């Protein structure tokens, strides 16, 4: 298990290293500054030792003003260097980390743009958001702190080891033998804390989704008078959180106390064993009182270094798992990609053919479409009707290749859609769906989405064709009115008309209208229907509608059920036939 972790960790790091490449110079400078910040700490005990040594000599004869000023000046100089080095390390280090974060986020975002519908069907957007932000922030911190901190601690530990060895080797070895014990105990505690931390994070996630679910459903709760049951349900999760948190503080308490205990042990060793060495017992090389002071001071340096290593071992883990999650997305291949020799689909007339097409969703076993054959002439207006779940939406989403068919072929003007570039394919197909997504921005921006670089005149023309111009002109800022997040400031008809204007600009030869008017009331539907009819003129159109009146005038009506296309013909033909369609129509007429 551990081996596996290590292996994947190393693999993750390998993928991450190229991001450093651009900043190699900055990194070296950063580490150089980091090295400089250790000098003061290493030199101070030596200076103090020198001065104490001079002072404890007979008659203080060696403690001269010269010595004091000399060492003082050296220390002041080192402090100045230390301040500057620390400034550069903190600022450039963090900036470099953020640059790397920005690069990674850019890559991640453009990769997410490439992933297919099926990926988003099975992924929560919330998770992706936290990957784009919080996880990558962990990576930034990791990117510069880890090299810096390990480098600094390494220099301090090795440096003090060497310096102390120049004073007294046996005593140094005794003092340093305590370090591995401290490291092991700290790491064990940290691991425990991390496991707990993960648990509590998960619990907070659960708690959040429970709160969200309950509050979103508050109207249902109230209408069923189930408030106390909801509160009870909530309390279970809340108490679980308390249990996890309490556990954490117990581990934390033990950890902090053990750290203090080890600090104590370190000092006890130096105070007692050092003093014994001062006595010069057992023929061991003796140390002077000045050396004794230096040892005590180095112990402080050592203890802080160890503590930082332990702290950053945790950040290292966090960063690593951030990188792993990053790689996980980057390694997800878009399910649908352009073929290597894909060509552009040009001058499309709009003939669409399904040849023996079968399809099932990646996550399902059951085929939605089985051996389906269908030929739609250029400019033909085809209506798809049938029971909900019959596969109408699915069939239409195969034409722009939103999903990849399992077998068979789809041809546009006789060309297999798999052999053309996705961009050119989707350029020639327009989709109007039941729910319209408007980007947060102005009305104009949203219409202009249909055509890159559309002029104001073109936009207005498209809006007029879609019957949207009048209401847009009445908005407080006309075309520059902000539509709100997802277009909340507009009514259903207004949104739908903007989405139609968008398609007038795009001007695709093939059109898919998937229950475009279903969410609207009768009056609004009539308005939008008029715009849609204008849009459909001269284009190959697939209309899906559950209000059968809207499809009466179609050139051909297809009844799609689980068994495939069961009936096909004009409204009158199908009514005469007396099959599924006529049944549906009668039922529908009764309801209306
Ligand atoms: P219709 O538009 O005729 O109501 P759909 O094409 O939406 O029917 O759905 C056809 C079948 O495919 C249904 O059984 C539905 O559950 C399933 N389905 C639709 N979308 C997905 C999806 N994204 N992932 C998995 N199954 C889906
Ligand atoms: Mg549908």
């Amino acid at each position: 298990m551990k081996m596996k972790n290590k292996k994947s960790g190393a693999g993750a790091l390998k993928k991450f290293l190229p991001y450093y490449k651009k900043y190699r110079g900055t990194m070296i400078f950063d580490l150089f500054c980091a090295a400089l910040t250790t000098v003061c700490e290493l030199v101070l005990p030596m200076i103090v030792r020198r001065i104490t040594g001079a002072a404890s000599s007979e008659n203080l004869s060696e403690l001269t003003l010269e010595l004091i000023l000399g060492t003082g000046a050296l220390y002041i100089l080192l402090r100045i260097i230390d301040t500057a080095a620390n400034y550069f390390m903190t600022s450039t280090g963090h900036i470099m980390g953020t640059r790397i974060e920005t690069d990674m986020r850019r890559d991640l975002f453009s990769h997410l743009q490439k992933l297919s519908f099926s990926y988003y069907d099975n992924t929560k957007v919330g998770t992706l958001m936290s990957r784009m932000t919080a996880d990558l922030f962990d990576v930034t911190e990791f990117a510069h702190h880890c090299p810096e901190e390990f480098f600094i601690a390494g220099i301090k530990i090795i440096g003090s080891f060497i310096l102390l060895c120049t004073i007294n080797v046996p005593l140094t070895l005794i003092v340093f033998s305590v370090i591995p014990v401290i490291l092991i105990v700290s790491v064990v505690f940290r691991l425990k804390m991390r496991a707990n931390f993960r648990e509590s994070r998960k619990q907070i996630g659960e708690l959040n989704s429970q709160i969200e679910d309950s509050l979103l459903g508050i109207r249902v709760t109230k209408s069923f008078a189930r408030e106390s049951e909801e509160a009870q349900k909530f309390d279970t999760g809340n108490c679980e959180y308390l249990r996890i948190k309490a556990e954490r503080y117990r581990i934390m308490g033990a950890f902090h106390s053990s750290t203090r205990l080890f600090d104590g042990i370190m000092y006890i060793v130096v105070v007692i064993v050092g003093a014994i060495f001062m006595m010069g017992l057992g023929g061991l090389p003796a140390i002077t009182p000045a050396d004794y002071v230096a040892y005590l001071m180095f112990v402080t340096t050592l203890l802080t270094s160890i503590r930082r290593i332990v702290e950053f071992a945790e950040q290292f883990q966090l960063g690593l798992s951030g990188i792993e999650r990053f790689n996980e997305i980057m390694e997800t291949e878009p399910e649908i990609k352009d073929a290597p020799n894909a060509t552009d689909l040009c001058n499309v007339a709009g003939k669409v053919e399904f040849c023996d097409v079968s399809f099932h969703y990646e996550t399902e076993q059951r085929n939605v479409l089985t051996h389906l054959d269908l030929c739609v002439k250029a400019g033909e207006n085809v209506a798809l009707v049938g029971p909900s779940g019959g596969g109408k939406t699915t069939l239409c989403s195969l034409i722009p290749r939103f999903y990849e068919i399992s077998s068979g072929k789809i041809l546009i003007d006789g060309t297999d859609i798999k052999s053309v570039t996705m961009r050119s394919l989707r350029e020639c197909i327009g989709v109007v769906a039941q729910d319209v997504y408007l980007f947060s921005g102005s009305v104009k921006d949203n219409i202009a989405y249909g055509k890159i670089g559309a002029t104001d005149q073109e936009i207005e023309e498209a809006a007029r064709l879609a019957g949207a111009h009048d209401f847009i002109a009445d908005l407080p800022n006309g075309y520059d009115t902000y539509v709100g997040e997802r277009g909340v400031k507009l009514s259903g008809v207004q949104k739908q008309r903007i989405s139609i204007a968008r398609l007038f600009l795009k001007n695709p030869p093939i059109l898919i209208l998937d229950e475009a008017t279903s969410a609207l009331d009768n009056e609004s539907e009539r308005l939008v229907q008029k715009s849609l009819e204008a849009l459909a003129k001269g284009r190959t159109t697939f209309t899906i509608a559950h209000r059968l009146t809207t499809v009466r005038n179609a050139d051909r009506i297809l009844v799609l059920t689980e068994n495939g296309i069961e009936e096909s013909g004009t409204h009158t033909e199908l009514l005469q036939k007396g099959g599924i369609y006529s049944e549906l129509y009668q039922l529908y007429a009764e309801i209306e």
Side-chain angles (χ1 to χ4, degrees), residues 392-393 514-515 544:
K392 303 180 293 293
T393 302
D514 188 351
E515 313 225 3
I544 304 174

Side-chain angles (χ1 to χ4, degrees), residues 359-361 363-370 389 562:
F359 172 78
H360 65 90
Y361 284 99
T363 46
E364 319 278 300
Q365 297 297 318
R366 199 175 52 85
N367 269 355
V368 180
L369 303 175
T370 313
E562 283 179 23

Side-chain angles (χ1 to χ4, degrees), residues 27-278:
M27 188 76 224
I28 292 171
F29 179 66
D30 184 55
L31 288 183
F32 176 68
C33 290
L36 286 183
T37 59
T38 64
V39 176
C40 268
E41 243 173 286
L42 290 177
V43 167
L44 184 64
M46 300 309 271
I47 291 178
V48 173
R49 174 174 176 244
R50 180 83 186 82
I51 294 177
T52 332
S56 55
S57 69
E58 279 157 41
N59 306 328
L60 292 178
S61 57
E62 281 178 33
L63 187 62
T64 57
L65 203 57
E66 239 177 310
L67 175 73
I68 295 172
L69 289 182
T71 46
L74 173 71
Y75 192 61
I76 290 172
L77 178 71
L78 288 178
R79 271 287 156 199
I80 292 172
I81 294 176
D82 179 85
T83 310
N86 192 53
Y87 171 76
F88 283 114
M89 181 180 81
T90 312
S91 56
T92 46
H94 273 100
I95 293 171
M96 183 195 70
T98 315
R99 288 225 162 94
I100 291 179
E101 182 188 348
T102 315
D103 291 346
M104 292 174 85
R105 188 174 292 131
R106 184 182 304 125
D107 288 354
L108 193 58
F109 188 76
S110 53
H111 189 74
L112 285 176
Q113 294 284 327
K114 284 187 213 134
L115 291 176
S116 324
F117 273 49
S118 53
Y119 180 77
Y120 289 99
D121 287 349
N122 300 309
T123 314
K124 280 191 210 151
V125 172
T127 331
L128 289 178
M129 303 244 288
S130 76
R131 295 202 176 181
M132 295 280 299
T133 52
D135 282 4
L136 281 186
F137 177 72
D138 286 343
V139 177
T140 317
E141 288 295 284
F142 165 90
H144 70 105
H145 273 312
C146 280
E148 278 167 12
E149 292 298 334
F150 285 119
F151 195 56
I152 290 176
I155 291 183
K156 280 189 191 165
I157 293 177
I158 295 171
S160 36
F161 183 73
I162 293 172
L163 288 173
L164 287 177
C165 277
T166 63
I167 305 176
N168 187 303
V169 177
L171 180 57
T172 309
L173 290 178
I174 294 173
V175 171
F176 272 74
S177 63
V178 185
I179 294 181
V181 184
I182 302 185
L183 275 178
I184 291 170
V185 173
S186 308
V187 168
V188 168
F189 271 116
R190 281 281 170 174
L191 284 178
K192 270 194 185 171
M193 274 170 75
R194 219 182 66 223
N196 177 279
F197 191 68
R198 209 176 291 150
E199 207 182 347
S200 75
R201 226 188 217 188
K202 208 173 113 204
Q203 187 59 25
I204 271 282
E206 302 253 310
L207 214 54
N208 274 342
S209 65
Q210 206 172 21
I211 295 172
E212 191 184 339
D213 194 40
S214 290
L215 292 186
L216 284 177
I218 191 89
R219 287 170 186 82
V220 182
T221 307
K222 286 197 178 298
S223 70
F224 281 89
R226 289 282 181 272
E227 288 91 340
S228 58
E229 280 78 1
E230 281 294 315
Q232 225 164 32
K233 214 163 69 182
F234 178 72
D235 208 40
T236 323
N238 208 15
C239 287
E240 177 62 12
Y241 182 69
L242 170 69
R243 185 193 66 74
I244 296 170
K245 259 302 190 43
E247 174 78 21
R248 152 134 39 123
Y249 291 124
R250 263 177 230 121
I251 302 174
M252 203 157 114
F255 175 59
H256 283 288
S257 317
S258 76
T259 329
R260 283 181 81 89
L261 181 67
F262 278 114
D263 286 7
I265 292 177
M266 259 312 225
Y267 281 110
I268 289 169
V269 168
V270 176
V271 169
I272 298 176
V273 182
I276 295 174
F277 268 76
M278 241 185 329

Side-chain angles (χ1 to χ4, degrees), residues 455-486:
T455 62
D456 285 0
Q457 216 173 356
E458 285 175 306
I459 292 172
E460 195 183 313
E461 168 77 20
R464 271 184 208 282
L465 287 170
H469 176 75
D470 291 338
F471 90 77
I472 296 174
D474 283 344
L475 289 174
N477 291 317
Y479 280 84
D480 292 317
T481 309
Y482 173 62
V483 298
E485 204 168 76
R486 296 175 193 208

